[in-house]
Amino acid sequence: MKRILNRLAATLIFCFAYNMVFSQSPVLLQVGNEATQRDDFLRIYQKNNNSVSSQVETINIDEYLELYTVFRMKVLEAMSLGMDTAAAFRSELATYRKQLAQPYLMDEKLNESLIKEAYERKKYDIRASHILIKCDQFASPADTLKAYNKILQIRKRLLKGEDFAKVAVELSEDPSAQDHPYQGHNIRGNHGDLGYFSAFDMVYPFETAAYNTKVGEITMPVRTQFGYHLIKVVDKQPSLGKIQIAHIFFSYKPGESIDAATDKQGELAQKVYDLLQEGNDFAALCKKYSDDVNTAQSGGVMSWMTTNRFLPEFVVAIQQLKKGAYSKPFQTQFGWHIIKLMDTKPLGTFESEKEELKQKVGHSDRAILTEESLVNKTKNDYGFVDRPEALAALNKVVTDTIFFQGWKAENAKGMNDAMFTIGTKTYTQADFAKFLESHQQQLPKYDISTYLRWQYKIFVNENILAYADSQLETRYPDFKDLMSEYHDGILLFNLTEQKVWSRAVKDTVGLQEFYEKNKRNYMWDERLDASIIQVNDPEVLKNLTKKLKKLPTDEALLSAFNTDSIHKIEITRKLFLRGENSIIDNAQWVVTKKAEKVKEDPATFLIVRKVVAPEPKKLEEAYGLITTDYQTYLEAEWIKELKAKYPVKIDQAVLKTLSHK
């Protein structure tokens, strides 16, 4: 039994499930006032034996029943002490519940498809331009329609053949499209060109539209939180993956006219390129000429990046390079550049990238899709009923003060009509009013009705998800079982820590008494007190041999020959056990009258000083083992107390029916 207990000690904490409420089978076990029915015990037994490694023998029913009985005693004891009501316990259990609930509060099928979609998109880098007409998420229907019509008119112009870049400069409300000041220059804007990007680099609706559009085509208006976009896909190339380059940068100088700077820096870039062509070292030229103070001294080497971190001119240059090659000088709005491709890391396999992609999906705006899916499923499963007239009534009492964090829920006093019902829960206008007050932000003035619809959607979704969470134990028996395991496992761990593990460490008096009573269980075998002397300098060998005839102390030998930092001899002295050292194993275990030479190269001598008979180890010499045994002793004594406190009844007739399962 002790062997079985030791084997299961590491897994008992979370491996027992305890659920009886739905079972109608006969009672097998009564511990105190708690009954365990046959089918519940059998399910628990089978679960744990199935989880045991095939290399470890399974536990028979009788042995497992004994373990389970003790386990239930410990859990009951923890609950009788109120440990299940402690704030720390509740907090820890809530933390575990939040983690365990995540897979149940997610559309796994949709999530998996989003991960696979992201991986497929990661295989390509897309270059796109866009035109933005801003439209806030709280814009009124009239303003939203106005923005939509405006972007449609722009699209008509583009389809008639107008230049996308020119129209972007003229009409795009993305300020990066237009020229802007930089270090005293009025430098060129991007004219709508967003450069290269891949999955997760843009908001999801924008990314999706870009990946679903052919090169050269222009999308219909795409709505994001920023407004309406027209997207033109300019290029689509196999992904470069992660890239590391070195660069030499020739910056436009502050206050210098852009034309003069272009000519001057372009000429310098060409000069350096010529030097490279003549065989000069890239890193040396970088240190001498580069204006990038952050990388010049390291040879221009930049950190690993993906294409979205580079200006598009960089990506075009990189696409033409092989590892170790450098580009011709090229110009951007910031100056001139020469780059060297140091290395690339291509996209890995789906399996190798999956975990990172999963994390990104969960922390990106894609997560909204899985949330909406769960919300809709919960609405269908639990009979969601919405009452839009209740929301419309709140339009009369919510004022512009809400955009200045000055609105109070008491303004809706007396408004208690139901807004929506989900399952057995109903949420009223008063509930929503409290939500509005607690979620106020400093915002521009928006259309009140649009703002309320937006906040109401958030309010509904939050409470729908909370309701789905609250129903997990009822809806999913396996989740209920899992939570029961964690509940009992944490209690067992905490109480065992208090009664056994920490006590064994802290109770130094008890540990000493246990050691004194049991010290004969912790014995040294016969040992040899000996000195092994190794000669590292042959010049000292003759003099050492003379001194060894008198069997001097180790200290005397060391002080005589190791007169400086060079160790001419080395001495190892200890109480040796058999099997620790080949020299000791081959020696005669008798006290010697002279040092014996036991090895020629390097010259090695042995002095046997004493044969030590078997004796008890000191407490500090076997502290770990003694502490473990003391813990076993404490637990055994504790179990005796529990058995006296919690009477056990086992129905032997019911137990016999399990032997055939």
Side-chain angles (χ1 to χ4, degrees):
M1 179 56 62
K2 182 177 179 181
R3 174 176 56 82
I4 295 170
L5 282 168
N6 288 337
R7 188 178 72 199
L8 291 181
T11 56
L12 270 175
I13 295 175
F14 295 117
C15 71
F16 289 107
Y18 178 66
N19 291 280
M20 310 182 304
V21 291
F22 299 112
S23 175
Q24 299 298 320
S25 62
V27 172
L28 167 67
L29 172 69
Q30 184 91 20
V31 179
N33 295 323
E34 181 186 83
T36 299
Q37 293 166 334
R38 182 195 62 187
D39 290 354
D40 293 305
F41 173 79
L42 181 61
R43 184 179 66 253
I44 299 163
Y45 170 74
Q46 290 174 338
K47 174 181 177 180
N48 284 282
N49 273 284
N50 288 338
S51 67
V52 172
S53 167
S54 60
Q55 296 178 351
V56 180
E57 64 182 82
T58 57
I59 308 170
N60 67 43
I61 289 284
D62 292 329
E63 290 175 326
Y64 194 86
L65 181 59
E66 182 177 344
L67 287 172
Y68 181 75
T69 301
V70 172
F71 166 71
R72 292 313 313 163
M73 288 179 181
K74 291 177 179 178
V75 173
L76 288 173
E77 179 68 3
M79 294 175 70
S80 74
L81 295 172
M83 295 180 74
D84 58 329
T85 63
F89 168 79
R90 290 184 175 276
S91 176
E92 184 177 3
L93 186 61
T95 299
Y96 281 118
R97 189 187 185 282
K98 186 176 181 179
Q99 296 171 352
L100 296 171
Q102 287 178 358
Y104 296 88
L105 297 174
M106 177 186 295
D107 186 331
E108 288 283 3
K109 187 175 180 181
L110 174 59
N111 203 55
E112 185 70 18
S113 71
L114 289 171
I115 294 170
K116 290 180 179 177
E117 177 190 71
Y119 180 75
E120 291 303 314
R121 291 180 179 178
K122 280 279 188 183
K123 292 179 179 179
Y124 297 94
D125 294 325
I126 283 184
R127 183 177 183 179
S129 295
H130 86 134
I131 294 172
L132 169 68
I133 298 300
K134 292 181 178 179
C135 184
D136 194 272
Q137 57 188 351
F138 300 136
S140 66
D143 289 340
T144 301
L145 181 60
K146 182 179 177 182
Y148 184 76
N149 287 333
K150 184 176 181 180
I151 202 85
L152 275 182
Q153 292 303 314
I154 295 172
R155 187 173 187 273
K156 288 180 181 179
R157 289 176 56 179
L158 295 171
L159 293 179
K160 288 179 180 179
E162 289 195 48
D163 182 70
F164 196 99
K166 289 182 179 179
V167 176
V169 173
E170 177 189 347
L171 297 173
S172 181
E173 294 175 5
D174 178 351
S176 68
Q178 290 81 34
D179 294 351
H180 52 280
Y182 173 76
Q183 291 190 351
H185 308 300
N186 188 36
I187 68 170
R188 183 181 183 274
N190 64 26
H191 293 194
D193 186 356
L194 297 174
Y196 286 85
F197 58 87
S198 188
F200 302 107
D201 294 333
M202 301 292 183
V203 290
Y204 185 63
F206 190 103
E207 173 197 309
T208 297
Y211 272 93
N212 290 337
T213 301
K214 295 179 180 178
V215 174
E217 292 187 355
I218 299 172
T219 65
M220 285 293 289
V222 178
R223 182 69 189 268
T224 72
Q225 66 260 45
F226 305 108
Y228 286 104
H229 309 256
L230 294 176
I231 306 169
K232 181 178 180 179
V233 177
V234 178
D235 191 19
K236 184 176 182 180
Q237 296 286 340
S239 172
L240 291 173
K242 293 180 180 178
I243 311 154
Q244 186 178 50
I245 66 167
H247 81 139
I248 305 174
F249 176 42
F250 309 91
S251 174
Y252 301 141
K253 298 300 183 283
E256 201 171 31
S257 70
I258 193 70
D259 292 335
T262 298
D263 293 341
K264 184 177 179 181
Q265 297 305 94
E267 289 174 4
L268 180 58
Q270 185 62 46
K271 174 186 173 182
V272 173
Y273 178 75
D274 292 340
L275 291 172
L276 286 169
Q277 291 285 82
E278 293 170 6
N280 285 276
D281 181 62
F282 189 98
L285 292 174
C286 180
K287 291 179 183 180
K288 184 175 181 180
Y289 291 104
S290 181
D291 291 324
D292 184 349
V293 296
N294 294 316
T295 64
Q297 295 307 308
S298 61
V301 178
M302 304 174 71
S303 58
W304 287 91
M305 293 187 284
T306 50
T307 54
N308 70 303
R309 300 286 303 279
F310 292 106
L311 293 169
E313 295 90 345
F314 273 70
V315 180
V316 171
I318 291 167
Q319 288 171 344
Q320 301 171 22
L321 296 177
K322 294 182 178 180
K323 182 178 176 180
Y326 53 84
S327 71
K328 293 181 179 180
F330 61 89
Q331 188 180 14
T332 70
Q333 63 262 51
F334 300 106
W336 286 81
H337 313 261
I338 300 173
I339 64 171
K340 179 180 180 180
L341 181 58
M342 305 300 291
D343 203 356
T344 59
K345 293 179 182 177
L347 182 70
T349 64
F350 177 72
E351 287 304 319
S352 66
E353 300 282 343
K354 184 176 180 179
E355 189 57 36
E356 182 179 350
L357 291 172
K358 182 179 180 180
Q359 295 296 322
K360 286 186 174 181
V361 166
H363 291 91
S364 72
D365 53 349
R366 285 167 165 82
I368 296 172
L369 299 177
T370 58
E371 179 181 295
E372 287 288 350
S373 176
L374 178 61
V375 166
N376 292 332
K377 186 176 186 301
T378 305
K379 285 180 177 180
N380 292 332
D381 290 347
Y382 293 99
F384 175 77
V385 179
D386 193 21
R387 297 176 176 84
E389 66 277 6
L391 176 62
L394 281 169
N395 278 312
K396 301 174 182 178
V397 297
V398 178
T399 65
D400 288 348
T401 56
I402 201 165
F403 303 124
F404 306 100
Q405 299 176 293
W407 191 80
K408 301 295 183 184
E410 62 188 34
N411 293 341
K413 187 176 181 180
M415 301 182 73
N416 293 302
D417 290 349
M419 297 197 76
F420 73 90
T421 300
I422 180 71
T424 58
K425 296 211 68 171
T426 296
Y427 295 87
T428 67
Q429 291 166 318
D431 296 324
F432 184 48
K434 292 176 183 176
F435 174 86
L436 287 174
E437 181 179 337
S438 63
H439 287 72
Q440 291 179 96
Q441 300 177 54
Q442 195 78 22
L443 294 170
K445 286 186 179 181
Y446 292 110
D447 178 73
I448 291 291
S449 61
T450 305
Y451 175 78
L452 286 182
R453 283 197 302 272
W454 182 268
Q455 292 298 323
Y456 181 61
K457 181 180 180 181
I458 296 172
F459 174 69
V460 170
N461 285 2
E462 283 187 6
N463 286 292
I464 294 292
L465 292 173
Y467 190 80
D469 191 342
S470 72
Q471 298 301 304
L472 292 180
E473 281 83 354
T474 303
R475 188 175 181 86
Y476 301 104
D478 58 332
F479 181 77
K480 179 181 173 64
D481 291 348
L482 197 57
M483 284 306 302
S484 181
E485 291 177 27
Y486 273 74
H487 173 279
D488 293 351
I490 296 169
L491 287 178
L492 175 62
F493 182 92
N494 291 345
L495 187 57
T496 307
E497 170 72 19
Q498 176 183 315
K499 289 284 189 178
V500 177
W501 300 327
S502 329
R503 182 179 168 188
V505 175
K506 295 177 181 178
D507 182 12
T508 54
V509 174
L511 182 64
Q512 184 67 44
E513 290 177 354
F514 177 81
Y515 165 72
E516 293 297 337
K517 291 178 181 178
N518 298 279
K519 65 169 63 177
R520 303 300 298 181
N521 294 333
Y522 311 101
M523 297 290 291
W524 286 114
D525 291 333
E526 186 180 51
R527 291 174 294 168
L528 197 65
D529 181 0
S531 297
I532 299 174
I533 305 162
Q534 179 178 304
V535 182
N536 298 325
D537 184 351
E539 296 297 324
V540 307
L541 190 57
K542 184 177 180 180
N543 291 332
L544 175 64
T545 305
K546 292 179 180 178
K547 286 188 175 293
L548 287 176
K549 292 179 180 179
K550 299 179 180 179
L551 297 181
T553 64
D554 297 333
E555 293 76 10
L557 287 172
L558 290 171
S559 61
F561 293 98
N562 292 347
T563 56
D564 50 32
S565 60
I566 298 175
H567 291 182
K568 296 177 180 179
I569 65 169
E570 293 180 19
I571 301 177
T572 302
R573 180 177 181 179
K574 59 179 288 189
L575 295 175
F576 291 94
L577 289 165
R578 295 185 190 277
E580 277 190 298
N581 185 286
S582 59
I583 291 175
I584 299 298
D585 292 345
N586 293 326
Q588 296 293 322
W589 280 46
V590 292
V591 177
T592 56
K593 297 181 179 180
K594 64 176 182 177
E596 294 185 5
K597 194 173 187 179
V598 292
K599 192 175 179 182
E600 289 293 340
D601 188 18
T604 304
F605 298 84
L606 174 67
I607 300 176
V608 177
R609 300 188 182 278
K610 184 179 181 182
V611 178
V612 181
E615 62 181 353
K617 296 178 181 179
K618 296 177 182 177
L619 176 58
E620 58 271 19
E621 290 175 328
Y623 181 81
L625 179 60
I626 296 168
T627 301
T628 298
D629 288 349
Y630 186 45
Q631 289 173 341
T632 302
Y633 166 77
L634 290 175
E635 183 163 24
E637 292 299 303
W638 179 32
I639 291 172
K640 289 180 185 177
E641 295 174 9
L642 292 173
K643 287 182 176 179
K645 183 174 181 179
Y646 298 100
V648 175
K649 294 180 182 178
I650 298 173
D651 191 317
Q652 295 297 326
V654 175
L655 179 60
K656 287 180 181 179
T657 67
L658 293 177
S659 62
H660 303 292
K661 296 291 182 179

